[in-house]
Amino acid sequence: MIERFREWYENRHEYARSYKERTGRKVVGFFCTYSPEEIFYAFDVLPVRILGSHEVQDVTEPHLFGMFCPFCRDVLAQGLKGRYEYLDGISIGQSCLHLRQAYTSWDIHRNPGWSHYLPMPSHVQSKRAVSFLVGEYRLLIERLEELTGRRIDDDDLRRGIDIMNRVRRVMKEIYELRKDDNPPITGEEAMYMTCAQFFTDAREFLPVAEEVKRELTTRKLDRDPGKRIMLVGSENDDVEYIRMIETLGERESVGCTVVIEEHCTTTRYFWDEVELGDRDPLTAIAERYVLRTPCPSKDWPVRTRLDRILRFAKDWRADGAIVLQQKFCDPHEADIPFVRKHLQDNGIPTYFLEFDVTVPAGPFAIRTEAFLETLEAEADLF
Ligand code: SF4
């Protein structure tokens, strides 16, 4: 059953096209994890995240500065090349300026007929952030009414919240299993799972994830888990890189397993649920997005992510952390010295890896191998 995640990840476009055909529902592409998927589900609109294709690309040069992050370039290339031509709309919840530029350029050159810019506050620590966001959500709802020709009420919003909460919960339960001495799921498989969720209807994803969770409780992987590694940092859905480092142990090298990550394709995206209680659903959704683990572009003036990163490292017993920055990613670049210091001060060795999703992963795996060797050497000495 776990293979299903990889199939969904690799066939994301086929899935979306057939989904539209069999359900007649609209599909909207979103650019960042600050898009409130709960509201899209309340309208029975499928939100799919736009991710890149990890190819060397050559079409974004006229649209994005050379020093914008490769992930944003890869994302924009998808639009310019027409890979998401089935979308009924595009939307972004403001995060960093690089991604916003990719969105704006897509909006200008490949507008599918509906687009919406959601000004998610950068100052999420402001007392006014939640009320501001509720107002913005009301505008988003008006725009979605135009797109779908239907109106929603609080029960629809509660339904949207429930769908997203359940899917987040099952992924967290699967992540708990990665705490085992020999995790029954590799980092590569976990990455396929979290990314597959971006491309599939959560209601179709959920029963599969529940079944995988059941299977994992008795699954034994015939591999040496090696060093337990955490990944922290910029956007990363480079499964090839994870596969390469997790198979190093098969080639007379120090092996490893990625046991936990803190980035926007995994835990930063799904870890926090909407705490609904008997409150107004829009306020509860807004609070979730204001209080969730922030992207570093919003983690100011107080840096709030550090303790959560450390808790992940400790709870999943990481031997070391690879702190990864997409080349030119300013928000993470400013964050990384603090992340590394916090981990190192608390006994977790770190390695800084400048990354580029659009070039082959081999050289990054070689650098990671060197880091794993240093971990092994330290274990030998002490
Ligand atoms: S990797 Fe960095 S620059 Fe790129 S979209 Fe994410 S936060 Fe923005």
Side-chain angles (χ1 to χ4, degrees):
M1 193 58 104
I2 200 165
E3 268 299 291
R4 202 58 186 282
F5 297 140
R6 189 175 60 78
E7 287 160 20
W8 274 333
Y9 176 88
E10 286 175 355
N11 303 309
R12 63 191 81 165
H13 302 306
E14 290 76 3
Y15 174 89
R17 283 189 206 99
S18 87
Y19 178 88
K20 283 185 75 164
E21 239 173 73
R22 67 192 156 84
T23 64
R25 291 177 180 153
K26 307 276 188 203
V27 178
V28 168
F30 68 96
F31 280 63
C32 173
T33 55
Y34 278 101
S35 294
E37 290 174 86
E38 294 83 352
I39 298 177
F40 290 91
Y41 275 111
F43 277 93
D44 278 324
V45 166
L46 177 66
V48 295
R49 187 168 176 189
I50 316 270
L51 290 178
S53 59
H54 305 273
E55 307 158 72
V56 179
Q57 53 79 24
D58 48 4
V59 292
T60 57
E61 212 56 44
H63 305 277
L64 290 180
F65 293 117
M67 32 55 76
F68 273 28
C69 92
F71 168 66
C72 298
R73 307 172 78 79
D74 200 9
V75 161
L76 177 58
Q78 305 309 301
L80 297 176
K81 289 182 173 179
R83 301 256 169 84
Y84 283 82
E85 88 294 343
Y86 50 81
L87 291 179
D88 298 291
I90 53 170
S91 182
I92 186 171
Q94 168 69 33
S95 55
C96 73
L97 291 176
H98 294 200
L99 200 53
R100 178 172 177 185
Q101 180 60 39
Y103 166 81
T104 306
S105 201
W106 189 319
D107 195 26
I108 293 169
H109 300 287
R110 283 283 181 160
N111 188 316
W114 184 95
S115 59
H116 185 72
Y117 169 71
L118 173 76
M120 172 76 208
S122 292
H123 189 198
V124 289
Q125 294 172 22
S126 160
K127 283 195 294 248
R128 293 181 289 279
V130 171
S131 56
F132 174 88
L133 197 51
V134 168
E136 289 300 329
Y137 284 170
R138 293 212 169 94
L139 294 177
L140 170 65
I141 286 172
E142 282 174 22
R143 297 294 330 282
L144 283 166
E145 285 172 358
E146 287 167 22
L147 176 70
T148 61
R150 61 172 283 200
R151 297 177 75 82
I152 57 161
D153 58 21
D154 281 357
D155 282 341
D156 291 308
L157 286 169
R158 286 190 197 97
R159 189 170 46 81
I161 290 170
D162 183 58
I163 291 168
M164 286 309 298
N165 273 355
R166 283 195 292 151
V167 95
R168 289 173 184 135
R169 209 167 300 146
V170 69
M171 288 198 287
K172 280 198 287 188
E173 287 163 355
I174 290 174
Y175 265 52
E176 283 295 312
L177 302 171
R178 300 172 78 189
K179 288 179 177 170
D180 284 6
D181 287 344
N182 190 353
I185 176 170
T186 62
E188 179 193 356
E189 290 169 327
M191 180 69 77
Y192 277 131
M193 171 181 76
T194 56
C195 291
Q197 199 264 301
F198 289 131
F199 308 127
T200 49
D201 187 318
R203 290 157 293 194
E204 297 180 4
F205 178 91
L206 191 61
V208 174
E210 293 281 6
E211 184 54 35
V212 167
K213 187 183 77 181
R214 269 190 294 279
E215 288 177 6
L216 289 177
T217 56
T218 54
R219 188 186 197 211
K220 296 267 176 274
L221 289 182
D222 183 19
R223 63 187 288 278
D224 177 358
K227 297 291 171 196
R228 301 175 67 85
I229 292 298
M230 177 181 194
L231 297 179
V232 188
S234 298
E235 191 281 341
N236 174 27
D237 69 314
D238 202 324
V239 281
E240 194 194 340
Y241 164 71
I242 298 176
R243 186 182 314 130
M244 277 183 169
I245 64 172
E246 288 193 321
T247 51
L248 284 170
E250 295 166 15
R251 298 193 293 276
E252 294 182 4
S253 186
V254 181
C256 77
T257 302
V258 175
V259 291
I260 187 71
E261 320 84 15
E262 204 276 343
H263 44 54
C264 71
T265 39
T266 62
T267 55
R268 205 155 62 233
Y269 161 65
F270 74 80
W271 206 255
D272 305 280
E273 295 185 22
V274 176
E275 305 286 341
L276 179 58
D278 49 11
R279 291 172 322 139
D280 157 54
L282 269 193
T283 305
I285 296 171
E287 268 189 20
R288 189 264 171 194
Y289 284 89
V290 163
L291 296 176
R292 56 159 263 193
T293 323
C295 168
S297 64
K298 298 185 191 299
D299 200 19
W300 54 271
V302 180
R303 237 184 208 94
T304 62
R305 286 170 63 227
L306 301 182
D307 283 335
R308 177 175 285 201
I309 293 172
L310 181 62
R311 206 185 72 226
F312 276 142
K314 293 278 183 198
D315 290 354
W316 272 260
R317 292 178 291 123
D319 295 311
I322 295 167
V323 184
L324 189 147
Q325 181 209 354
Q326 287 291 343
K327 195 160 64 165
F328 305 129
C329 165
D330 306 324
H332 283 277
E333 188 165 21
D335 209 41
I336 279 170
F338 298 91
V339 171
R340 292 190 71 187
K341 181 168 186 328
H342 199 56
L343 287 170
Q344 281 165 192
D345 286 352
N346 287 282
I348 311 286
T350 68
Y351 181 71
F352 170 66
L353 188 63
E354 189 184 63
F355 211 73
D356 183 334
V357 274
T358 60
V359 303
F364 306 121
I366 291 170
R367 291 176 58 191
T368 304
E369 187 176 7
F371 174 56
L372 295 174
E373 278 168 12
T374 64
L375 293 181
E376 183 74 351
E378 279 176 25
D380 263 4
L381 286 171
F382 302 105

